[in-house]
């Protein structure tokens, strides 16, 4: 078991390093250009905001020499005087990213005004977890139990309704159903607010209650669209298992149908279900760009969209790295659980 875990950890770390190298290679030159432009903008802004500095020079040439010297000095401090592909810079960059030091955003800031990329990411991530990860957990619980129940009644009315609902709900995008839900429950019946973002500050004592009330409509929408496909997958996983000899033997022994489904059959279907659940949970951390835009939810999806729109590369790199880490951790946990439910995976049979 220890060798199995050690091999998985080494593989995951290797994948993370390769992902970082590819990301740095893709954005390295553009990152340097943007950072140098940021230095020029910062130096000239500081001088503009302090006219006394400009007045201290006797000529324009002397002023420009001072500005250029300031730019070169800051460029050297940040290590931008060397090409992005030098081993030293790649090593330092990877070391900083591994320690979650993503530097400062070029254009975006957090709600508190911080330009530190880590502050921005850790401000948006909990909101995405609250909405999308919560929805994923609810979807998986409903889907597993409904799918397991449906698999024991193949061809029945419940089975046909579950399968039909899964096909119909999967045919519509969440954001489109979200707009209909807003129209129906926010404007027609005025049960829920149209915006998912509370209007009161986070320091207000009633903020948590207001936040949960505002997120009710998007949460209902995401769950309503998602659980049908989950139930259909689980149902298909279990239909074959319900025909296995050991299930038939337990039926002849007089064991109750409920115990056979949820204790024996579901355990045998657990490996693929756990894999899909792990991937769904890690995928939920990225949010959804259009869904968050429709419900005005300030999570990772909207952050990605805003960062790509203004080409804020530090934020894009930070978000990509963070989501990659979560994805690899979820794969690692899924591997362990897969090995637990199916010992043949651990022994390599």
């Amino acid at each position: 078991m220890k060798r199995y875990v050690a091999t998985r950890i080494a593989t995951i770390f290797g994948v993370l390093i390769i992902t970082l190298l590819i990301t740095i290679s893709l954005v390295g030159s553009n990152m340097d250009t943007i950072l140098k432009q940021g230095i020029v903008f910062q130096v000239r802004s500081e001088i503009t905001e302090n006219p006394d500095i400009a007045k201290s020079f006797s000529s324009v040439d002397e002023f420009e020499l001072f500005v250029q010297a300031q730019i070169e000095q800051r460029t050297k401090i940040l290590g931008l005087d060397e090409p992005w592909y030098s081993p030293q810079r790649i090593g330092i960059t990877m070391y900083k990213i591994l320690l979650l030091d993503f530097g400062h955003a070029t254009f975006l800031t957090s709600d508190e005004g911080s330009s530190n990329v880590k502050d921005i990411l850790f401000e948006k991530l909990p909101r995405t977890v609250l909405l999308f990860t919560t929805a994923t957990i609810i979807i998986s619980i409903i889907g597993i139990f409904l799918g397991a129940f449906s698999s024991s009644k193949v061809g029945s009315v419940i089975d046909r309704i579950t399968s039909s609902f899964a096909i119909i709900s999967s045919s519509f995008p969440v954001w489109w159903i979200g707009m209909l839900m807003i129209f129906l429950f926010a404007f027609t019946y005025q049960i829920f607010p149209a915006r998912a973002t509370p209007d009161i500050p986070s320091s207000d004592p009633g903020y948590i209650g207001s936040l949960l009330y505002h997120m009710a409509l998007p949460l209902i929408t995401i769950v309503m669209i998602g659980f049908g496909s989950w139930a259909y997958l689980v149902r298909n996983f279990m239909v074959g298992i319900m025909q296995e000899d050991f299930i038939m033997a337990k039926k002849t022994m007089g064991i109750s149908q409920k115990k056979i489904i949820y204790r024996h059959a579901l355990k045998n279907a657990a490996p693929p279900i756990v894999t899909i659940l792990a991937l769904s949970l890690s995928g939920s951390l990225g949010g959804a760009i259009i869904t968050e835009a429709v419900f005005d939810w300030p999570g990772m999806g909207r952050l990605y969209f805003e960062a790509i729109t203004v080409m804020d590369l530090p934020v894009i790199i930070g978000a990509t790295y963070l989501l990659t880490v979560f994805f690899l951790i979820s794969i690692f946990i899924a591997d362990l659980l897969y090995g637990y439910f199916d010992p043949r995976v651990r022994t390599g049979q």
Side-chain angles (χ1 to χ4, degrees):
M1 186 65 183
K2 289 181 180 177
R3 185 178 177 184
Y4 176 80
V5 173
T7 305
R8 288 293 182 275
I9 291 175
T11 304
I12 287 172
F13 186 73
V15 170
L16 185 61
I17 295 298
I18 292 172
T19 305
L20 273 179
L21 281 172
I22 293 174
T23 305
I24 293 171
S25 302
L26 289 174
V27 303
S29 57
N30 290 328
M31 177 74 90
D32 274 10
T33 303
I34 292 173
L35 288 175
K36 288 177 180 175
Q37 289 174 348
I39 291 173
V40 173
F41 177 78
Q42 186 181 19
V43 169
R44 292 194 178 277
S45 296
E46 288 176 2
I47 294 175
T48 305
E49 291 170 1
N50 189 355
D52 293 337
I53 298 178
K55 291 178 182 176
S56 64
F57 299 101
S58 57
S59 65
V60 176
D61 291 339
E62 188 179 347
F63 171 76
E64 288 298 332
L65 284 173
F66 172 77
V67 171
Q68 194 59 37
Q70 287 292 313
I71 292 173
E72 290 176 359
Q73 183 184 7
R74 298 190 186 189
T75 301
K76 192 172 182 179
I77 290 173
L78 292 176
L80 298 177
D81 53 330
E82 292 187 24
W84 67 267
Y85 47 81
S86 68
Q88 184 181 358
R89 278 200 59 193
I90 289 179
I92 292 173
T93 302
M94 290 184 63
Y95 177 73
K96 286 183 175 179
I97 292 176
L98 285 172
L99 297 178
L100 302 181
D101 181 4
F102 307 117
H104 291 269
T106 311
F107 303 104
L108 302 178
T109 60
S110 67
D111 291 345
E112 302 295 329
S114 172
S115 63
N116 190 307
V117 174
K118 190 162 68 175
D119 292 341
I120 297 172
L121 294 177
F122 283 92
E123 179 187 74
K124 307 296 183 186
L125 189 61
R127 297 170 181 172
T128 293
V129 170
L130 182 64
L131 177 58
F132 288 93
T133 306
T134 303
T136 302
I137 292 171
I138 296 173
I139 286 170
S140 59
I141 292 173
I142 297 175
I144 288 171
F145 282 97
L146 183 60
F149 181 71
S150 180
S151 69
S152 66
K153 298 183 179 299
V154 177
S156 66
V157 176
I158 292 176
D159 182 41
R160 279 181 286 179
I161 290 175
T162 302
S163 302
S164 301
F165 181 76
I167 295 170
I168 293 171
S169 62
S170 302
S171 304
F172 295 100
V174 178
W175 59 267
W176 190 76
I177 297 296
M179 289 196 295
L180 293 181
M181 295 287 279
I182 290 173
F183 174 76
L184 191 62
F185 293 106
F187 295 109
T188 304
Y189 294 106
Q190 299 181 355
I191 299 174
F192 298 107
R195 293 184 68 220
T197 306
D199 297 323
I200 59 177
S202 57
S203 58
D204 192 288
Y207 179 79
I208 298 297
S210 177
L211 181 65
L212 294 176
Y213 173 57
H214 278 74
M215 69 174 274
L217 189 59
L219 183 67
I220 292 170
T221 305
I222 297 170
V223 170
M224 189 177 69
I225 293 297
F227 80 85
S229 55
W230 251 93
Y232 188 66
L233 283 173
V234 174
R235 179 250 186 210
N236 288 342
F237 287 146
M238 291 191 61
V239 164
I241 294 173
M242 292 298 290
Q243 306 302 320
E244 295 281 347
D245 291 341
F246 75 98
I247 295 292
M248 294 299 178
K250 293 186 183 303
K251 286 181 180 177
T252 57
M253 291 167 64
I255 299 175
S256 69
Q257 179 84 343
K258 186 177 179 182
K259 191 176 288 185
I260 290 174
I261 295 171
Y262 295 108
R263 181 173 294 181
H264 302 287
L266 194 57
K267 184 179 180 182
N268 280 270
I273 294 174
V274 166
T275 303
I276 295 174
L277 178 60
L279 294 176
S280 300
L281 288 175
S282 64
S284 71
L285 298 174
I289 293 175
I290 302 178
T291 304
E292 289 189 7
V294 168
F295 288 105
D296 192 26
W297 186 258
M300 292 292 287
R302 275 184 57 186
L303 178 65
Y304 248 125
F305 176 73
E306 291 170 0
I308 292 171
T309 302
V310 299
M311 280 301 288
D312 202 323
L313 291 178
V315 175
I316 295 174
I317 291 175
T320 303
Y321 172 76
L322 207 58
L323 295 178
T324 303
V325 170
F326 285 130
F327 177 75
L328 292 175
I329 290 174
S330 67
I331 292 293
F332 175 67
I333 294 172
D335 269 349
L336 293 181
L337 291 174
Y338 210 114
Y340 171 76
F341 287 113
D342 189 350
R344 292 174 299 178
V345 176
R346 295 200 303 271
T347 57
Q349 295 176 0

